[in-house]
Amino acid sequence: MDLLPFLLALLHVHKALCAEISWDSTVKLTKQLSLECAHLPTQILTQIEWLKRNGQKEERIAIFNPILGLEITAPYTNRVSIKNSSEASNIITLNFNNASDMDAGLYTCRLNMFPDGSAEKIIQVAKTDKFESIALLNETIPELVTESGQNITLNYQFQMKGPVKTVIWEKIQPHQIDILTSCDLLEGSPYTSKYQNKVWATCRQGSRVSILFIPNVTVSESAIYCCLVEATTGEKESYMVRLIVYGPKHEPSYLQNLLVAGGILLVVAILITVICVISYYGRRKYTNGLFKESSGMQNKTGHRKRKAIFKSRSKPSTDICPRTSYL
């Protein structure tokens, strides 16, 4: 653990031509290389430009304007593409197809946003095994478990006795390390990286504790968070915690509730219809039965009457001499 701050510090400061260049993220070089650049969801992107640094010069890779479209520089035409991340529309990615060692180096993402103006993020693409060394420490790191949508506060109490010079909070993933905040405690000057979520950390002169605040966490915030502390004497110490963010508990949405209510109403309507049909045919059958029974009774009565009349007509007269009327 004592070697870790030094190994991580090597990833953050690069000296080229006697000039110190700091970067916001370190990404592991892989064949399917993807570099992320994000703006706040409330900001409107008017233009984004990707460049690669070659010494003091910058080589344009691609430029995108929502109105004018996308233009990719000739050497990169068939090698890169720009897309919106599947996680969020405010994350724009530069994707390499079959990246090689020549793609290692420093990249700049330059954003123009309305109404806040411009900002840039510097990304280092490194061919390093430092990510593997971090993975070996996974079992020894304490865990903090939460659900998405929660506000998370991480704090670290400095153990060293001497005055503290700098405090850096990092987000560490298997393929990428992001500097979230950096604080110079001697001057009290904070630096917040161009991270996709609006994080902040305390930065007060003489402070003996550092607090990192992450609002409204999402599943993508699941990672190792490291606080690197350096004293004025060069002494270093670190604190690490693994943040595990689960998705929100399943709560039926308004649409789901509407669909369930509609389904219930449909079932009730079908039941009512079935009951009405059965009742209708039942009454009809009952009525038909009564009608048949009534008709049968009427037929029997009529038959008896006709039979009686027939008998009365066919019965011989009891008079010996029939009555004769004379005029």
Side-chain angles (χ1 to χ4, degrees):
M1 289 292 291
D2 294 337
L3 189 60
L4 182 61
F6 175 73
L7 293 176
L8 295 180
L10 291 177
L11 298 176
H12 303 146
V13 179
H14 173 73
K15 297 201 173 181
L17 301 177
C18 299
E20 187 179 87
I21 302 175
S22 300
W23 46 79
D24 303 294
S25 299
T26 299
V27 178
K28 181 181 180 180
L29 177 62
T30 59
K31 286 189 175 182
Q32 300 302 319
L33 180 63
S34 181
L35 308 181
E36 292 184 353
C37 196
H39 59 87
L40 296 178
T42 55
Q43 297 172 329
I44 300 174
L45 178 68
T46 58
Q47 185 168 286
I48 181 171
E49 185 178 13
W50 284 94
L51 308 104
K52 183 177 182 182
R53 292 176 179 249
N54 291 318
Q56 293 182 329
K57 297 181 180 180
E58 290 184 331
E59 175 187 11
R60 176 184 289 176
I61 299 174
I63 185 169
F64 172 74
N65 183 289
I67 299 176
L68 301 178
L70 173 66
E71 181 180 338
I72 300 176
T73 307
Y76 296 93
T77 303
N78 298 320
R79 298 187 58 241
V80 302
S81 62
I82 294 180
K83 297 180 180 179
N84 282 102
S85 172
S86 58
E87 296 181 359
S89 60
N90 64 309
I91 304 175
I92 301 95
T93 62
L94 177 67
N95 303 300
F96 286 78
N97 182 26
N98 197 23
S100 61
D101 291 351
M102 62 178 292
D103 294 312
L106 292 174
Y107 292 82
T108 300
C109 166
R110 193 163 291 150
L111 293 164
N112 291 318
M113 297 160 294
F114 180 84
D116 300 308
S118 61
E120 69 175 28
K121 176 182 179 180
I122 300 176
I123 303 172
Q124 179 193 216
V125 176
K127 184 180 180 181
T128 175
D129 59 352
K130 302 299 187 300
F131 295 95
E132 284 74 9
S133 64
I134 294 171
L136 297 176
L137 300 171
N138 286 346
E139 296 182 358
T140 63
I141 299 175
E143 295 182 350
L144 175 61
V145 181
T146 186
E147 294 180 1
S148 61
Q150 301 295 316
N151 296 329
I152 298 299
T153 301
L154 305 177
N155 60 80
Y156 175 61
Q157 183 78 39
F158 307 149
Q159 303 300 311
M160 59 180 61
K161 301 300 182 182
V164 175
K165 178 183 177 183
T166 58
V167 179
I168 298 174
W169 280 96
E170 299 176 326
K171 176 187 176 184
I172 304 173
Q173 301 177 83
H175 67 288
Q176 181 172 321
I177 299 176
D178 296 301
I179 299 178
L180 303 180
T181 64
S182 178
C183 174
D184 187 336
L185 288 178
L186 297 180
E187 298 180 1
S189 57
Y191 166 77
T192 302
S193 178
K194 316 302 183 301
Y195 184 60
Q196 64 192 48
N197 203 350
K198 192 67 176 178
V199 301
W200 61 267
T202 55
C203 184
R204 295 191 299 269
Q205 286 181 312
S207 176
R208 301 295 304 175
V209 63
S210 181
I211 300 173
L212 177 71
F213 178 73
I214 310 173
N216 193 27
V217 294
T218 63
V219 176
S220 62
E221 256 81 51
S222 296
I224 296 174
Y225 289 81
C226 179
C227 179
L228 298 172
V229 184
E230 183 178 358
T232 54
T233 59
E235 180 185 358
K236 296 180 178 67
E237 66 182 37
S238 65
Y239 162 75
M240 303 180 91
V241 60
R242 177 188 297 279
L243 178 63
I244 300 175
V245 183
Y246 290 107
K249 292 182 179 178
H250 180 69
E251 297 179 357
S253 63
Y254 173 76
L255 179 59
Q256 290 173 325
N257 289 331
L258 192 61
L259 291 174
V260 171
I264 293 174
L265 291 176
L266 180 61
V267 171
V268 171
I270 292 173
L271 289 175
I272 293 174
T273 303
V274 171
I275 292 172
C276 290
V277 170
I278 293 174
S279 177
Y280 170 76
Y281 280 103
R283 287 197 304 270
R284 185 175 179 181
K285 185 176 180 180
Y286 176 72
T287 303
N288 290 339
L290 290 177
F291 177 76
K292 289 180 180 179
E293 184 178 351
S294 175
S295 299
M297 293 178 65
Q298 289 178 0
N299 291 336
K300 288 180 180 179
T301 304
H303 178 70
R304 290 193 190 102
K305 287 181 178 180
R306 286 193 300 271
K307 189 174 181 181
I309 294 172
F310 176 77
K311 285 182 178 180
S312 64
R313 287 180 178 178
S314 60
K315 184 177 180 181
S317 176
T318 56
D319 294 337
I320 298 175
C321 296
R323 294 179 182 179
T324 304
S325 61
Y326 296 95
L327 294 175

